[in-house]
């Protein structure tokens, strides 16, 4: 299924089942795409993970209903899938900026969050460099942390900052950032900051060795300052390359970012010529 069509069908499915206990797995299964990659593609194309989109839509509808009906906060909490009025109130306040009681008492304005509408535009048709290459398995020395898909865009950069601030950069410089979800459908995934492992080296405390399997990879070069260059190529992969893909499909729950040595560039990772790559494992259909 083309990604534009898949996103439209996903949004329609969410709207039809908004009051039900749906998850990203239900949505991805509906469009017959791996949850691992569909959630990633949905996030890149739409700006939200599937779970964030559902949550924002529910809170927007709850705000509208709070202003236009006599429904109680407890009833709203139950209707929109919260375990208690307290958890609903916290989520509502974060989203709208005011508590439900303040909105009801003062008629305070609430935030709208309309359903996504698919917009077709004649984009693409531009050159996008990539290569398909077979790589043998390789072993990395790494630090590992588990992330939720919902907050990973904010949390992973902090993980990198913590890695260097703690002094661990002297053991692992960070040649790779590796995203692993072996089930291709978990709410969480493992993320590695990694270098190629030297067997002659002792494994420092707090580090682990992991082998990345042999795959055929689609490799996308990215040139420019981080994070914009990576984000731009990621967007093109999911908005232009994937919709045109005919002979291949995703092979496994891995995604690798390879970083060149920053000291080779005058402005490090902010240099206009800084080089990185995105690797996606693929297989013949």
């Amino acid at each position: 299924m083309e990604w534009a069509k898949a996103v439209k069908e996903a949004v329609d499915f969410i709207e039809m089942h908004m009051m039900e206990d749906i998850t990203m797995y239900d949505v991805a299964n509906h469009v017959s795409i791996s949850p691992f990659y569909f959630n990633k593609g949905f996030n890149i194309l739409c700006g939200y993970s599937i779970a964030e989109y559902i949550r924002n839509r529910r809170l927007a509808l709850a705000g509208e209903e709070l202003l236009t009906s006599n429904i109680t906060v407890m009833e709203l909490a139950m209707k929109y899938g919260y375990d208690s009025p307290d958890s609903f109130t916290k989520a509502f306040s974060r989203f709208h900026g005011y508590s439900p009681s303040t909105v009801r008492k003062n008629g305070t304005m609430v935030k709208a969050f309309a359903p996504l509408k698919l917009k077709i535009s004649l984009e693409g048709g531009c050159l996008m460099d990539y290569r398909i290459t077979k790589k043998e398995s390789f072993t990395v020395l790494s630090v590992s942390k588990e992330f939720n898909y919902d907050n990973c865009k904010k949390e992973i950069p902090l993980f990198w900052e913590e890695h260097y601030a703690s002094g661990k950069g002297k053991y692992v410089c960070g040649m790779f950032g590796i995203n692993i979800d072996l089930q291709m459908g978990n709410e969480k995934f493992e993320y590695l900051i990694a270098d190629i492992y030297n067997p002659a080296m002792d494994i420092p405390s707090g580090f682990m060795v992991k082998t990345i399997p042999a795959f055929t990879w689609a490799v996308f070069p990215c040139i420019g300052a981080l994070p914009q260059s990576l984000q731009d190529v990621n967007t093109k992969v999911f908005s232009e390359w994937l919709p045109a893909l005919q002979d291949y499909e995703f092979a496994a729950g891995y995604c690798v970012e390879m970083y060149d040595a920053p000291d080779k560039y005058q402005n490090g990772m902010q240099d206009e010529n800084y080089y990185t790559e995105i690797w996606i494992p693929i297989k013949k259909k």
Side-chain angles (χ1 to χ4, degrees):
M1 180 183 293
E2 291 186 359
W3 274 76
K5 183 180 178 183
V7 169
K8 180 182 184 304
E9 290 195 7
V11 170
D12 291 344
F13 177 81
I14 291 169
E15 293 300 314
M16 289 176 61
H17 300 275
M18 184 64 69
M19 302 307 169
E20 301 173 21
D21 186 20
I22 56 173
T23 66
M24 74 168 185
Y25 311 109
D26 300 314
V27 178
N29 288 337
H30 178 72
V31 296
S32 301
I33 297 177
S34 156
F36 175 80
Y37 285 109
F38 187 66
N39 193 56
K40 182 178 177 69
F42 189 96
N43 199 332
I44 289 172
L45 294 175
C46 303
Y48 305 93
S49 70
I50 295 170
E52 286 176 311
Y53 177 75
I54 294 172
R55 181 170 60 248
N56 289 349
R57 282 289 295 137
R58 286 174 174 165
L59 289 169
L61 291 171
E64 181 181 339
E65 197 164 351
L66 189 69
L67 286 174
T68 59
S69 73
N70 294 321
I71 191 170
T72 67
V73 172
M74 180 174 288
E75 289 170 335
L76 277 175
M78 298 302 294
K79 181 175 181 178
Y80 289 99
Y82 288 86
D83 295 332
S84 68
D86 286 344
S87 60
F88 171 73
T89 296
K90 289 178 182 178
F92 187 98
S93 301
R94 284 195 299 267
F95 182 77
H96 290 287
Y98 301 95
S99 68
S101 59
T102 299
V103 170
R104 172 149 284 169
K105 180 179 178 181
N106 301 328
T108 307
M109 289 188 295
V110 294
K111 292 181 180 178
F113 189 84
L116 286 168
K117 299 292 185 183
L118 187 67
K119 180 181 178 182
I120 303 297
S121 58
L122 294 177
E123 298 177 349
C126 60
L127 295 176
M128 184 175 184
D129 293 333
Y130 74 96
R131 67 182 186 274
I132 294 177
T133 183
K134 291 184 178 180
K135 293 182 180 291
E136 297 299 321
S137 63
F138 61 98
T139 303
V140 295
L141 177 67
S142 65
V143 288
S144 170
K145 190 171 182 179
E146 194 173 67
F147 292 94
N148 289 311
Y149 281 104
D150 283 359
N151 58 14
C152 63
K153 290 175 71 174
K154 295 179 181 178
E155 295 297 324
I156 288 177
L158 295 177
F159 181 40
W160 280 87
E161 290 179 14
E162 293 168 3
H163 174 72
Y164 292 121
S166 67
K168 292 180 179 178
K170 67 181 179 180
Y171 300 111
V172 168
C173 297
M175 179 180 180
F176 300 106
I178 304 175
N179 184 339
I180 304 174
D181 180 355
L182 296 181
Q183 301 302 315
M184 298 178 70
N186 290 322
E187 292 183 1
K188 297 181 179 181
F189 64 93
E190 182 182 16
Y191 184 85
L192 310 179
I193 298 175
D195 285 347
I196 295 293
Y197 172 57
N198 178 0
M201 174 184 174
D202 291 334
I203 301 173
S205 176
F207 289 76
M208 61 183 295
V209 171
K210 180 158 288 199
T211 298
I212 308 302
F215 286 116
T216 297
W217 300 84
V219 178
F220 300 87
C222 315
I223 299 174
L226 295 183
Q228 193 63 47
S229 61
L230 275 174
Q231 292 171 351
D232 288 347
V233 172
N234 247 326
T235 298
K236 286 184 177 181
V237 167
F238 282 90
S239 64
E240 298 178 20
W241 185 74
L242 272 175
L245 200 61
Q246 295 181 355
D247 298 328
Y248 291 91
E249 61 186 359
F250 290 118
Y254 289 86
C255 183
V256 177
E257 293 175 356
M258 189 282 293
Y259 304 92
D260 201 2
D263 57 9
K264 292 167 56 177
Y265 302 86
Q266 183 175 355
N267 296 312
M269 290 184 173
Q270 296 304 304
D271 197 275
E272 63 180 4
N273 295 312
Y274 183 68
Y275 184 80
T276 53
E277 291 179 346
I278 298 171
W279 303 357
I280 295 175
I282 57 174
K283 63 183 180 181
K284 282 279 190 178
K285 289 183 177 179

